[in-house]
Amino acid sequence: MSVKLICIDESHLQETEVLMDSRPIILGHRGMGIGDGENSLLSLIKAVQIGADGVELDVQITSDGVLVVNHDPDLKRTFGADVVVGETTFKNLKKMNLVNPEGLTTLEEVYLELPETAYINVEIKDPRAADVVVPLVKSFNAMDRTLFSSFHHDCMRRVKECDIQANIGLLIGEEARGKNPAKYFEELMEYKPFSFNLPVQLFDEIGFELGVSLIDFVRSRGIKVALWTLNDPGLLMKIKGEADIIITDNLQGIMAALGGKSERR
């Protein structure tokens, strides 16, 4: 997927010497990656088993308030079912035999089945989920290992209202096009984010050196950077020390480039 990000020139950014000494947190994108089995419980478990620090997953909410893990608002692409998640009940999804370890799962089941050391990036797709997701994560005493993210930035404000200590990640995409990046990011800092989640395509859009300068600008403000979806081990090694979180479809390649499993696990 191509993401047009930001028109920028070097005068907008400050020179910084921000370096990260530790290895970045590696998260499996939708578990083992986009495609068959994405966001399924088995895919999420396997990602952690092969050495990821955790997973990135997508959350929708059913009409009766159950948080299910699916990227799209409907189930057509992932399960061939002409069903909109927000317009049906979880009971109905179970009746359709869509809920199983290889199919649709709930966020609750993810926290039950993944190890307590697993870091989980919960991307909120439906803003209505904000009021439900924080209490669920708190019930597992997992706030310190959970990053809530969304393209719906006001939804992140709601997450903070539910718990001021919640770590939120602002996903940056098409809405940033044509804006002065320094000014835009300064405005977003009012949300008090834990991270800015930036598309890896920024290096194609604005060039490698300018992309690194943008990352350093963000990190100099005390905000972490998560890069999605970084699948190229060569690019990873070029930006080593510049990103705090890597979200990838290519877990095995990225893990190999970093020398194997993380010592965190």
Side-chain angles (χ1 to χ4, degrees):
M1 178 180 68
S2 176
V3 177
K4 299 291 184 182
L5 185 68
I6 300 172
C7 295
I8 179 175
D9 67 60
E10 296 183 29
S11 64
H12 290 144
L13 300 176
Q14 296 182 359
E15 291 285 333
T16 61
E17 295 294 332
V18 180
L19 293 175
M20 181 184 64
D21 296 326
S22 62
R23 166 174 166 147
I25 291 172
I26 305 299
L27 303 181
H29 186 222
R30 307 182 198 175
M32 289 299 295
I34 294 175
D36 291 344
E38 68 176 57
N39 276 322
S40 69
L41 185 60
L42 287 184
S43 181
L44 298 166
I45 290 173
K46 184 177 179 181
V48 175
Q49 286 179 336
I50 70 171
D53 295 298
V55 294
E56 183 270 358
L57 53 80
D58 307 287
V59 166
Q60 304 281 354
I61 188 166
T62 63
S63 61
D64 54 345
V66 177
L67 297 170
V68 296
V69 184
N70 198 68
H71 178 273
D72 305 347
D74 61 65
L75 303 178
K76 187 171 293 186
R77 178 181 64 86
T78 46
F79 301 106
D82 192 14
V83 176
V84 176
V85 175
E87 297 176 359
T88 193
T89 65
F90 184 66
K91 183 178 181 179
N92 188 50
L93 294 174
K94 292 177 71 175
K95 281 184 177 179
M96 297 174 68
N97 295 317
L98 294 172
V99 182
N100 59 72
E102 297 180 63
L104 196 62
T105 193
T106 65
L107 186 62
E108 180 180 22
E109 194 70 17
V110 171
Y111 278 95
L112 281 169
E113 297 297 331
L114 263 62
E116 292 183 358
T117 55
Y119 194 87
I120 302 177
N121 177 184
V122 178
E123 181 181 341
I124 300 173
K125 289 295 188 181
D126 186 336
R128 297 176 302 167
D131 289 327
V132 181
V133 69
V134 174
L136 186 147
V137 173
K138 290 180 78 169
S139 74
F140 286 95
N141 195 29
M143 292 293 287
D144 61 341
R145 60 183 179 91
T146 299
L147 173 63
F148 303 94
S149 66
S150 185
F151 285 107
H152 304 284
H153 296 165
D154 284 344
C155 168
M156 294 290 89
R157 196 187 303 278
R158 180 59 188 149
V159 167
K160 276 288 193 181
E161 289 172 354
C162 291
D163 190 324
I164 193 65
Q165 300 301 320
N167 292 326
I168 61 170
L170 303 182
L171 276 155
I172 309 299
E174 296 285 349
E175 82 290 342
R177 291 182 64 191
K179 295 182 179 179
N180 177 323
K183 182 178 179 182
Y184 180 57
F185 285 146
E186 290 286 0
E187 291 172 356
L188 292 181
M189 286 173 196
E190 294 180 5
Y191 287 85
K192 301 188 184 304
F194 174 82
S195 67
F196 283 149
N197 295 22
L198 305 176
V200 72
Q201 290 94 339
L202 73 93
F203 296 113
D204 296 325
E205 295 295 330
I206 64 177
F208 181 78
E209 291 186 4
L210 214 49
V212 170
S213 295
L214 177 59
I215 289 171
D216 286 346
F217 172 78
V218 170
R219 298 179 75 226
S220 72
R221 299 304 197 271
I223 298 172
K224 298 187 183 299
V225 166
L227 284 177
W228 57 275
T229 307
L230 199 164
N231 300 327
D232 180 2
L235 177 58
L236 173 67
M237 300 315 291
K238 284 181 67 177
I239 62 164
K240 193 173 181 180
E242 294 288 348
D244 304 281
I245 301 171
I246 301 295
I247 300 170
T248 182
D249 288 317
N250 181 22
L251 262 178
Q252 290 164 313
I254 294 299
M255 298 297 299
L258 292 173
K261 291 185 178 182
S262 168
E263 293 180 1
R264 297 186 185 96
R265 301 291 326 289

